[in-house]
Amino acid sequence: MAQASPPSFFDRTVGQLREVWRDLSLRAWPGGGNGFRPNLPDEDAARLRQRIAECVASRGGEVSARARAAEIGRAYLSLAPEGRHRFLSILAQDFAADRETVDEAILAYRQAKDTVELAAAEESLRDALAAPRVRLLKQLTTLPDGFKFLIDLRAELLDHLKDDPTLRGLDRDLQELFTSWFDIGLLTLERIGWDSPAALLEKLIAYEAVHEIRSWSDLKNRLDSDRRCFAIFHPSIPLEPLIFVEVALVNGLADDIHKLLDEGAPRAESAEADTAIFYSISNTQKGLRGISFGDFLIKKVVESLLRDMPNLKTFATLSPVPGFRRWLDTQLAAAPANDEPPRRRFGGANGDMSAAKLREALARPDWLQDAALAEAMEEPMRRWCARYLCQEKSGGKALDAVARFHLANGARLERINWLADRSPKGLKESYGLMVNYLYRLGDIEANHDAYVGQGQVVASPAIKALLKP
Amino acid sequence: MAQASPPSFFDRTVGQLREVWRDLSLRAWPGGGNGFRPNLPDEDAARLRQRIAECVASRGGEVSARARAAEIGRAYLSLAPEGRHRFLSILAQDFAADRETVDEAILAYRQAKDTVELAAAEESLRDALAAPRVRLLKQLTTLPDGFKFLIDLRAELLDHLKDDPTLRGLDRDLQELFTSWFDIGLLTLERIGWDSPAALLEKLIAYEAVHEIRSWSDLKNRLDSDRRCFAIFHPSIPLEPLIFVEVALVNGLADDIHKLLDEGAPRAESAEADTAIFYSISNTQKGLRGISFGDFLIKKVVESLLRDMPNLKTFATLSPVPGFRRWLDTQLAAAPANDEPPRRRFGGANGDMSAAKLREALARPDWLQDAALAEAMEEPMRRWCARYLCQEKSGGKALDAVARFHLANGARLERINWLADRSPKGLKESYGLMVNYLYRLGDIEANHDAYVGQGQVVASPAIKALLKP
Amino acid sequence: MAQASPPSFFDRTVGQLREVWRDLSLRAWPGGGNGFRPNLPDEDAARLRQRIAECVASRGGEVSARARAAEIGRAYLSLAPEGRHRFLSILAQDFAADRETVDEAILAYRQAKDTVELAAAEESLRDALAAPRVRLLKQLTTLPDGFKFLIDLRAELLDHLKDDPTLRGLDRDLQELFTSWFDIGLLTLERIGWDSPAALLEKLIAYEAVHEIRSWSDLKNRLDSDRRCFAIFHPSIPLEPLIFVEVALVNGLADDIHKLLDEGAPRAESAEADTAIFYSISNTQKGLRGISFGDFLIKKVVESLLRDMPNLKTFATLSPVPGFRRWLDTQLAAAPANDEPPRRRFGGANGDMSAAKLREALARPDWLQDAALAEAMEEPMRRWCARYLCQEKSGGKALDAVARFHLANGARLERINWLADRSPKGLKESYGLMVNYLYRLGDIEANHDAYVGQGQVVASPAIKALLKP
Amino acid sequence: MAQASPPSFFDRTVGQLREVWRDLSLRAWPGGGNGFRPNLPDEDAARLRQRIAECVASRGGEVSARARAAEIGRAYLSLAPEGRHRFLSILAQDFAADRETVDEAILAYRQAKDTVELAAAEESLRDALAAPRVRLLKQLTTLPDGFKFLIDLRAELLDHLKDDPTLRGLDRDLQELFTSWFDIGLLTLERIGWDSPAALLEKLIAYEAVHEIRSWSDLKNRLDSDRRCFAIFHPSIPLEPLIFVEVALVNGLADDIHKLLDEGAPRAESAEADTAIFYSISNTQKGLRGISFGDFLIKKVVESLLRDMPNLKTFATLSPVPGFRRWLDTQLAAAPANDEPPRRRFGGANGDMSAAKLREALARPDWLQDAALAEAMEEPMRRWCARYLCQEKSGGKALDAVARFHLANGARLERINWLADRSPKGLKESYGLMVNYLYRLGDIEANHDAYVGQGQVVASPAIKALLKP
């Protein structure tokens, strides 16, 4: 729906405070760009530089500066992608820290003689290193939707970052600000249910990144009495979940995502469940990249579930293995055309299928329909997957992104489930394999230290057995 | 009321997450100091260093580190003043930035050749300058009452700061963290009334710094239908006002604080009021020194009042002049013993009273009871006060602390009221004088710029007339 | 989704209060019918009678009686339609007032000699007339969903009432109880928006009775910033609207429902609207028949809108005319086959179209597509409609149900809009005509009295002109 | 604080709905009595009758009638006690049921031939018996504070009832309305704490009827972490508790009220408590006499406590015995002057003290200070009290009012505590004795039935032993 244009802001005397506060909205108005043309040509860019400089100088006092900052924010929203990129470049290059001031502060630092002088010099140096643009970024927080605006701005910046490394300083500033503003001491965990606001629930539908929510009725099923959904919120962005998790209350480790997502399945008695399965975790704000909420989320959710349902004994995930297929295809492509079954490597008869045969099987369009074949593939596929998850590393961390997340949180790789996700996405990513990561409260610390310290993947005996030849 | 000691924390396996979360409280327990002796002797200090180092290293993952941080916090609370000072010193000296790392980062910075390299070098230098203790401080925020704990810790640190400048670096770290955490984008303005929680209202009684609240019934009167009270809150410290203001809805500028505080006075019809008088503004958290909320508070309150009561035309204060008496006494002491009335200086007959006579009058214990004398003193006292407020500066700012606050917010010095506060405190601070500062929305920006830019005190014509000879 | 059966309730000792309270739910459990067979055969009916008698006697105290009442409620929910009818008959016949007791009370009443004796006798007589079943009905309110259960029970009873007049006494008891329990002093008006709970919004979709809500996106459009939606709630049934109204903020009287329902239409600036159009009012609870909320709803909504948007000048509806087509078809069928245009009756050339011609036109399947024809029909159709609404009565009230509602509320019949609802339903009910009823605050009382007292339909001059020959 | 008078209401056109709703307040205005003189002389009474008749006739529609009802309510508030009594008499006598109409309905009832006719006749008779004043009473509920107004009106009526039995019919009407409006299905149990609104807490101070709350600090102690306070609320009177209970969490049955009320006593660890002691239960609304909340309160509180603290094993009271001293004094006065110790009656040596000796001891002003004497009195006093509570009846119920309440709720008389309340009130009422009533969940039903059915006081073996000779 189109929105009419509001009265121009710059026409007002800044002193009309009453209206000022009312107009601090950052929503984009068609024609509300304060005269900046969409692609921000040179003369507009000059004018923008001027406006930003005024904000940074806090002329007229902090409250007025924030009103002007709102206009700049609104101008940004009115720009075309090219103009926005230019806007970001201006911030990055024209409002960076002043090298000369830094050099002076460095000099003073080097001459500091005792603790006291050093503390003062450190402070001066830190101040000198703080880019003036940071003042503008901070001013934008007081505005309605200010935090969300900055998150979205960074999301756009990240799109440019690869091709335009000059934006990196601005990106660092934003990340640093976000690290403080989204300190987990400020965040709250809230349960989401069918009685949550529709305005919030529609965002779950939009943000769900693991198993797409197909409709409001699919969503309602995921919020039923044998399910739980939790999200983390920031107090200044009330209807915007930062990360959320969907949990199924079941008996025993779940091994098939389709059962969990089936709207027609009978509802379980949640009071009798002994296991909580985290079957979907979605980060929602690309612009908060580098700010981690997942560890906090999982542990807070475990705490909350335990309080309400003391019967719960097991906390585990049913997780995708997003990088497995790509890795496996490469491995299999490299295998000799007609190799022997790797008897020595994989041992028992069950696991007997050579890489070539497996490659051949996976190449058949109907392998999934061929029940006997699919069954024969189970053991070797689970072996390959165990190898992928436990032994393939990149920079000392697990190669698989989801594994990285859970292992760093202190989970243990518990079980590999063949054909647990037979959706097109599941087949495309991992040939249908899914994994349970187990969160055992008494082991979390040790698991974390083993993984983070020595890069060791803690796995169940069953998984370890799969690794044996 | 004494509290029993909880089970010791270190006895537990850290993996017992459920209890861990429950015990993250930072309340002081007698005997809950984890074995640290109150004065923190050397061996205990060594053990504390060790514990802090573990937190800073985030061993066992972030959530576990925060559990350990809670213990350190609890230990702090169990210490005697001397032990706490030592604790702060350890943080300040043993967990400061590492000079060697900084020097390396400086070297890299100096060698940076282009924008991209520079941004990376700046980041490294900033990282190097971040003291490791900051990690511990951040970990404390997730705990219940964590922010309040840090605020109170800084309040204690500030007490030591004058005598122990080595704490300055730690103080700067805290101030910087608070600047982000208490960003006004995170704060909310809330109206406080008699239906607010008692747990909150008792804090108003405790924190009121300008005109003491004598009882719950005095407080109830200040929250009556012709009054307003607003406070600023941080979402993570829900029952703790950061700053609050008391407002009376009246007709015309108030010139007598006793009328406003009289519990027996008839209640006015607030709907018919044309003036909002801010008669008390109290900062509540010493530990947030340097983080300013007042400007934001006043402007948000004006906005809120205007929305509900469009009849309001005037927003002004009835403020103390805390430094006047001390200044005036010095001035008068310096005056010649038997001087002539300063006719040329103060002009008309009304203002005629020499400094010596004034000094003499003020020295009489009964001057306030002598109505004729008090009346004769009015004009000269107002003249002296005008001079004090408009012409006396310190570092380019007004000498009077309250004046500094309102002038920097863009208010105008409007009127000086003789005998407006006849309480012992009022007489002791300012011989009973009070002042109205006027917030005229259209002038706030210009006033602010005049004051902050040129140090100019914007005053009403009536005040200016008092300055004329 | 199917629900598992809970543990049987009668197996428990009633003293296990903790569980008792937890199991007071009235939700239907498959197999949770406590052994009552679905069609309630004679022996089960006898057992039910026994149970009800125990509740009515409050054996074991009031709280226990209510626990037993819950079981009876659950048993009802487990019955098939035939069994439920039988259940209702038992209540109606076996737990009615005792005639003998009433006769005794009548005797005492007749012998009462003074005011005091009379008051006592009246009280005894009233008590005697109170059917014992009322105790059971009251006990059901403490249970979760108790009020909703009773509302739904009455809705089912109403379905039987026409064919089974023996249920009438029970129906009267329910209506009387509802009249007290749903006293408007207990109800609250709440604004509904896109940030309302999904569990509530899905009920709007289900309950909307006037213009079907086709999807969640249709609903979102109806809750947009240029719309308002209000509902009345009972505090014990929080997510269940009793009646709700949808309002469009526009300029001038709306004359076309399609414009209001168009999801693609531009959003208006609500602050500039001068007119609030009530375009849909839906009662949601059949079981509350005879309890009227509409008058209260409209006046509370007007009050609420005025408070937020003082610019609003006009409050009116855009309403269907549900009985018009049926009435008109009968009228036209009775008209002579080839009559002259009723010149004398309808006057001017514009209105010229004989009943026979109109009948013929309406019989054409494409009359709506024939723009010229449709235009020619406008005037005569509006005349017929004016006659229908102003002059056709039943029992002294307007024949049209919607007209009855608004006229009794004090509205004035303002305008008849040709082709304002071209949906199949609109055409089927009223050949596309819709009506504006105008709520003018200063006239509501007089309008109400004229209509309720003398059966007079207050209409605008324009409508009156349509009635002139 | 005095309030200014509002603009007169009758001056307005009733159509000014916007103001109408705003002025429906029932607060008393000085001079807001609409011209009714305080003592309501005859001509004013006539005018009042006229106004009430208009309301009852609902002229102008229901909403307007309610606006007029507000004026009548306001007029009532402006009257002096004599005028209010007259107002009540008018309602009682001039707006009672019409005897003629009732007689006609009786005739129809007698002629009813079948169930259907009977149901209709019953309904007509009930309608005829409904006094017209009830319409006015119902109209007052929509107004702000309407329910509270009616409760207070009945409280005043009850004061007159003994001397003026003509008000009885009106009293019955009010009680019947309250029975529906305050149905426990509409009420909520809420925990009250130090973070509850001060406006609510000040009512606890005012309403506490058992152990006076001496100050805000006394109250704060009663809301500490080892205490619980619960109240029952009606949704339309949000800050007005209907009944509340104070609970102490302790270990073992409490036997001394002073320990519970001691502000300086150490706070217990509530998580370790095994017993919840209900040490004060206060009904707050005299006007709700006859509407019982206590049973519901206790059982809901037990449920709520159990949910949070599964460790609790025992639920009991520490209750006063308000009628004991009066009863005992009478008994002892009747005893012979110098009787022998009732050896045979009270058995063992411990209980040896004759009635005459006891009378003599109690007559000594210092008996409480004489520790040996007080100890010697313990056993005989407990025996007398056991006899008082278990054997003294009035109308089949326990003579003691507090005993009546708990026994009817299904509690068991558990223990008699000598010198448990040594306050002046405790000594005056019961010579310092207090009693524990025990709520054992599994026995509540049987206890209730034994007491209500056979008038049997269920007591512990220890109490029964005290009854033995």
Side-chain angles (χ1 to χ4, degrees), chain D residues 298-359:
Chain D
I298 287 176
K299 283 154 198 176
K300 274 293 209 185
V301 167
V302 168
E303 180 202 4
S304 173
L305 289 171
L306 265 180
R307 202 164 31 215
D308 286 357
M309 287 174 292
N311 289 340
L312 288 177
K313 300 280 172 284
T314 307
F315 298 89
T317 73
L318 181 60
S319 299
V321 197
F324 176 54
R325 179 172 177 161
R326 193 193 328 196
W327 172 86
L328 180 63
D329 286 350
T330 312
Q331 299 291 315
L332 296 182
N338 196 358
D339 62 348
E340 282 298 294
R343 258 179 232 281
R344 259 148 314 160
R345 194 160 161 223
F346 284 146
N350 290 331
D352 262 16
M353 187 179 269
S354 71
K357 285 234 170 99
L358 194 56
R359 184 176 58 204

Side-chain angles (χ1 to χ4, degrees), chain A residues 45-107:
Chain A
R47 193 153 58 87
L48 177 64
R49 243 174 244 112
Q50 170 70 21
R51 297 261 185 251
I52 295 176
E54 284 168 14
C55 281
V56 165
S58 293
R59 210 175 50 71
E62 193 57 25
V63 171
S64 299
R66 285 173 184 256
R68 276 193 300 271
E71 289 183 77
I72 293 172
R74 207 142 58 200
Y76 177 81
L77 291 170
S78 73
L79 297 178
E82 186 196 342
R84 292 187 178 189
H85 189 169
R86 194 155 192 191
F87 180 110
L88 296 172
S89 291
I90 289 172
L91 273 187
Q93 291 175 23
D94 299 343
F95 295 91
D98 179 49
R99 198 156 185 181
E100 209 165 308
T101 318
V102 174
D103 284 337
E104 282 167 27
I106 285 176
L107 203 65

Side-chain angles (χ1 to χ4, degrees), chain C residues 60 64 123 141 172 183 445 449, chain D residues 60 64 141 172 183 445 449:
Chain C
S64 297
E123 192 185 339
T141 60
R172 290 294 93 185
D183 183 285
E445 287 224 344
D449 285 349
Chain D
S64 298
T141 61
R172 291 294 94 185
D183 182 285
E445 287 224 345
D449 286 349

Side-chain angles (χ1 to χ4, degrees), chain C residues 6-311:
Chain C
S8 159
F9 186 89
F10 279 116
D11 296 339
R12 306 235 184 79
T13 63
V14 265
Q16 290 169 315
L17 191 67
R18 194 181 175 188
E19 269 108 54
V20 168
W21 281 99
R22 222 168 252 167
D23 271 306
L24 294 186
S25 167
L26 276 168
R27 284 177 302 159
W29 299 96
N34 303 314
F36 292 106
R37 278 161 291 181
N39 61 344
L40 205 67
D42 285 356
E43 63 218 294
D44 290 21
R47 194 154 57 87
L48 177 64
R49 243 175 242 111
Q50 171 71 21
R51 296 261 185 251
I52 294 176
E54 285 167 12
C55 280
V56 164
S58 293
R59 208 174 53 70
E62 192 59 22
V63 171
S64 297
R66 286 175 182 255
R68 277 193 299 272
E71 289 185 76
I72 293 172
R74 208 141 57 198
Y76 176 81
L77 291 170
S78 73
L79 298 178
E82 185 194 345
R84 291 188 178 189
H85 189 170
R86 195 158 190 187
F87 180 111
L88 295 173
S89 291
I90 289 171
L91 273 187
Q93 292 175 22
D94 301 341
F95 294 91
D98 179 48
R99 197 156 186 179
E100 211 165 306
T101 318
V102 174
D103 284 338
E104 281 167 28
I106 285 177
L107 203 66
Y109 178 84
R110 298 206 140 164
Q111 292 167 349
K113 283 188 299 285
D114 57 26
T115 317
V116 178
E117 282 185 25
L118 197 63
E122 278 174 358
E123 192 185 339
S124 299
L125 184 46
R126 270 204 308 263
D127 286 351
L129 285 164
R133 63 190 166 233
V134 170
R135 295 207 66 173
L136 174 68
L137 299 176
K138 284 180 172 176
Q139 284 162 351
L140 288 163
T141 60
T142 8
L143 316 173
D145 307 322
F147 286 106
K148 182 68 173 121
F149 170 82
L150 290 167
I151 291 171
D152 293 345
L153 179 142
R154 183 166 176 241
E156 295 182 5
L157 184 155
L158 288 170
D159 286 340
H160 295 299
L161 198 54
K162 207 178 161 188
D163 298 328
D164 180 358
T166 67
L167 297 175
R168 188 179 154 84
L170 176 57
D171 178 54
R172 290 294 93 185
D173 286 345
L174 282 163
Q175 177 161 348
E176 207 164 299
L177 288 170
F178 289 157
T179 302
S180 287
W181 288 333
F182 292 85
D183 183 285
I184 60 175
L186 293 167
L187 307 179
T188 54
L189 179 82
E190 282 171 41
R191 185 170 164 194
I192 294 180
W194 186 238
D195 57 355
S196 296
L200 167 57
L201 296 184
E202 74 173 343
K203 286 186 183 141
L204 297 195
I205 297 177
Y207 288 146
E208 160 69 61
V210 186
H211 304 291
E212 190 202 359
I213 301 177
R214 294 172 302 267
S215 66
W216 284 86
S217 108
D218 181 3
L219 175 63
K220 189 177 177 184
N221 183 44
R222 298 193 194 194
L223 301 172
D224 211 336
S225 65
D226 56 351
R227 301 302 175 85
R228 292 291 181 275
C229 179
F230 294 91
I232 284 183
F233 291 90
H234 185 274
S236 301
I237 325 179
L239 287 177
E240 195 69 38
L242 304 181
I243 187 172
F244 64 95
V245 60
E246 297 164 48
V247 183
L249 303 171
V250 296
N251 280 288
L253 279 188
D255 60 3
D256 185 340
I257 191 67
H258 304 287
K259 281 187 205 154
L260 298 184
L261 299 178
D262 180 6
E263 293 180 41
R267 194 190 303 157
E269 259 314 286
S270 64
E272 292 163 17
D274 62 10
T275 303
I277 295 291
F278 298 60
Y279 67 94
S280 178
I281 302 176
S282 300
N283 274 295
T284 64
Q285 309 294 326
K286 186 184 171 186
L288 291 177
R289 195 166 81 184
I291 322 294
S292 169
F293 308 116
D295 187 23
F296 175 65
L297 171 73
I298 288 175
K299 283 153 198 178
K300 274 293 208 186
V301 167
V302 167
E303 180 202 4
S304 172
L305 290 170
L306 265 180
R307 200 165 32 215
D308 286 357
M309 287 174 292
N311 289 339

Side-chain angles (χ1 to χ4, degrees), chain A residues 14-18 21-22 58-64 66 68 93 97 99 102-103 106 109-110 112 115-116 118-120 122-123 125-126 129 138 141-142 147 165-166 168-169 172-173 176 179-181 183-186 234-236 295-296 299-300 302-303 306-307 310 441-442 445 448-449, chain B residues 14-15 17-18 21-22 58-64 66 68 93 97 99 102-103 106 109-112 115-116 118-120 122-123 125-126 129 138 141-142 147 165-166 168-169 172-173 176 179-181 183-186 234-236 295-296 299-300 302-303 306-307 310 441-442 445 448-449:
Chain A
V14 265
Q16 290 168 316
L17 192 66
R18 195 181 176 189
W21 282 99
R22 224 169 249 164
S58 293
R59 210 175 50 71
E62 193 57 25
V63 171
S64 299
R66 285 173 184 256
R68 276 193 300 271
Q93 291 175 23
R99 198 156 185 181
V102 174
D103 284 337
I106 285 176
Y109 178 85
R110 298 206 140 163
T115 317
V116 178
L118 196 64
E122 279 174 358
E123 192 186 340
L125 184 47
R126 271 205 306 266
L129 285 164
K138 285 181 171 175
T141 59
T142 8
F147 286 107
T166 67
R168 187 178 155 84
R172 291 294 95 185
D173 286 343
E176 205 164 301
T179 301
S180 287
W181 289 333
D183 182 286
I184 62 176
L186 294 166
H234 186 272
S236 302
D295 187 24
F296 175 65
K299 282 152 199 178
K300 274 293 206 186
V302 167
E303 178 201 5
L306 266 180
R307 199 163 36 215
L441 302 186
E445 287 223 346
H448 169 273
D449 286 348
Chain B
V14 265
L17 192 65
R18 196 182 176 187
W21 282 100
R22 224 168 248 166
S58 293
R59 209 175 51 71
E62 192 58 24
V63 171
S64 298
R66 285 172 183 257
R68 275 193 301 271
Q93 291 174 23
R99 198 156 185 180
V102 174
D103 284 337
I106 286 176
Y109 179 84
R110 298 205 141 163
Q111 293 166 350
T115 318
V116 179
L118 196 63
E122 280 174 357
E123 192 185 338
L125 184 46
R126 270 205 307 265
L129 285 164
K138 284 181 172 176
T141 61
T142 8
F147 286 107
T166 67
R168 186 178 155 85
R172 290 295 94 185
D173 286 344
E176 205 164 300
T179 302
S180 287
W181 289 333
D183 182 286
I184 61 177
L186 293 166
H234 186 273
S236 302
D295 187 24
F296 176 65
K299 283 152 198 179
K300 275 293 208 186
V302 167
E303 180 200 3
L306 265 179
R307 199 163 35 215
L441 302 186
E445 287 224 344
H448 169 273
D449 286 348

